[in-house]
C-alpha cells in the first residue's frame, strides 16, 4: 500500500480516554510521526485532527468525511485504549474480514515495539469510523492509558512504535540510521622510494628483500 489517510481518534473538544496518558494528546503525536516515517518510505499521506466538533456524532462524521474525500489505499484511525486492570496491550480493530490479516500484523508490530501484550486483531461492526470509511480501514488501539506499564513502555519506545506502524502499513523497511557503517579494511603501505629508472627501483627492492621485507614495485605514471 502506498497512500494513506491517518487521523487521530476523538477531537480537541470531544475528548477520549485519560489516565497515565491522555488519548487525544498522544494520538495527535503518533499520527504526524507515523506520517513522517511513511513519507520517508515514499508513501503519500494525508493526516487529520478534528479541532472543532462539539458532539461525538459530529466528530465521527467529520473524520469519516475527511477520509472519504481523499484518494488512498487504507484508512487508519489512531486511538488509545482504557479499561483493563490487567496487563493492557495493543489491539487493532477492523470491520471487513479482508482487513484482519493487516490488523493482526500491525497489532503484533506495535506490541513488539513496545514490549507489551499483543491482544491482536478484533472484529468490530459497531464503530462509526470502520463502518463509514469506504476503503479498507483499521483502528489502532496503541496501548492502555490506564495501565502504567503500557504508558511507560509507550513513552520510552514512542519512535519505535511509530516506525513499526509505518513499516507494517507500507510493507517496507526504514533505513537504520543508527547502524554503524561497516568499516572497510584499510591497508597502510610504506613507501621507501620512487625512481624514474626501473633499474634503480629494482636495486632498492633487491636490497630490501635481502633484509627480509616483502617488496612490491608499483608503476605509476608520473
Ligand atoms: Zn478512542
Amino acid at each position: 500500500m502506498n497512500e494513506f489517510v491517518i487521523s487521530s481518534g476523538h477531537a480537541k473538544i470531544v475528548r477520549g480516554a485519560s489516565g497515565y496518558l491522555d488519548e487525544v494528546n498522544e494520538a495527535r503525536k503518533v499520527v504526524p510521526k507515523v506520517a513522517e516515517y511513511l513519507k520517508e518510505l515514499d508513501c503519500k499521506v494525508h493526516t487529520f485532527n478534528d479541532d472543532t466538533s462539539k458532539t461525538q456524532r459530529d466528530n465521527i462524521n467529520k473524520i469519516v468525511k475527511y477520509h472519504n474525500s481523499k484518494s488512498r489505499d487504507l484508512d487508519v484511525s489512531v486511538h488509545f485504549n482504557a479499561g483493563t486492570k490487567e496487563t493492557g496491550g495493543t489491539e487493532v480493530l477492523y470491520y471487513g474480514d479482508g482487513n484482519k490479516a493487516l490488523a493482526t500484523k500491525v497489532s503484533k508490530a506495535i506490541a513488539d515495539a513496545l514490549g507489551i501484550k499483543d491482544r491482536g486483531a478484533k472484529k468490530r461492526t459497531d464503530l462509526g469510523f470502520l463502518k463509514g470509511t469506504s476503503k479498507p480501514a483499521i483502528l489502532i488501539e496503541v496501548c492502555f492509558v490506564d495501565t502504567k506499564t503500557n504508558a511507560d513502555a509507550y513513552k520510552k519506545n514512542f519512535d519505535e512504535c511509530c516506525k513499526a506502524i509505518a513499516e507494517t502499513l507500507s510493507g517496507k523497511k526504514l533505513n537504520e540510521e543508527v547502524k554503524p557503517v561497516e568499516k572497510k579494511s584499510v591497508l597502510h603501505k610504506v613507501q621507501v622510494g620512487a625512481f624514474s629508472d626501473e633499474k634503480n627501483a629494482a636495486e632498492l627492492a633487491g636490497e630490501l628483500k635481502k633484509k627480509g621485507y616483502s617488496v612490491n614495485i608499483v608503476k605509476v605514471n608520473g
Side-chain angles (χ1 to χ4, degrees), residues 9-165:
H10 311 280
K12 198 171 178 179
I13 301 162
V14 190
R15 306 295 296 192
S18 68
Y20 299 104
L21 301 168
D22 180 275
E23 180 180 13
V24 170
N25 291 350
E26 297 309 322
R28 286 170 179 234
K29 291 177 197 166
V30 172
V31 168
K33 198 70 191 172
V34 170
E36 189 187 312
Y37 285 130
L38 281 171
K39 283 174 192 165
E40 266 182 48
L41 290 164
D42 292 324
C43 295
K44 267 194 171 179
V45 195
H46 313 273
T47 60
F48 183 69
N49 294 324
D50 180 358
D51 289 337
T52 55
S53 294
K54 293 191 176 71
T55 68
Q56 223 161 36
R57 175 175 296 193
D58 281 353
N59 173 227
I60 292 294
N61 289 343
K62 191 160 283 168
I63 290 173
V64 166
K65 195 176 165 192
Y66 180 85
H67 279 259
N68 287 340
S69 72
K70 300 292 174 193
S71 97
R72 77 278 186 210
D73 304 312
L74 183 75
D75 289 312
V76 181
S77 179
V78 177
H79 288 247
F80 284 71
N81 227 331
T84 178
K85 292 283 172 276
E86 297 159 27
T87 49
T90 305
E91 287 179 4
V92 177
L93 316 180
Y94 68 98
Y95 180 13
D97 289 334
N99 304 315
K100 185 180 179 182
L102 179 67
T104 303
K105 271 192 219 167
V106 173
S107 183
K108 184 178 187 314
I110 296 170
D112 285 351
L114 297 182
I116 63 174
K117 186 179 174 184
D118 178 16
R119 297 164 65 95
K122 296 229 166 18
K123 183 169 176 140
R124 287 285 294 269
T125 57
D126 59 328
L127 297 175
F129 171 78
L130 294 176
K131 282 198 292 184
T133 46
S134 57
K135 287 279 183 179
I138 55 172
L139 189 154
I140 297 172
E141 299 275 12
V142 177
C143 68
F144 281 72
V145 297
D146 48 1
T147 301
K148 188 166 188 306
T149 49
N150 280 203
D152 291 344
Y154 161 78
K155 283 182 203 162
K156 195 176 154 203
N157 302 293
F158 171 80
D159 272 343
E160 288 309 312
C161 170
C162 296
K163 266 185 203 172
I165 297 171

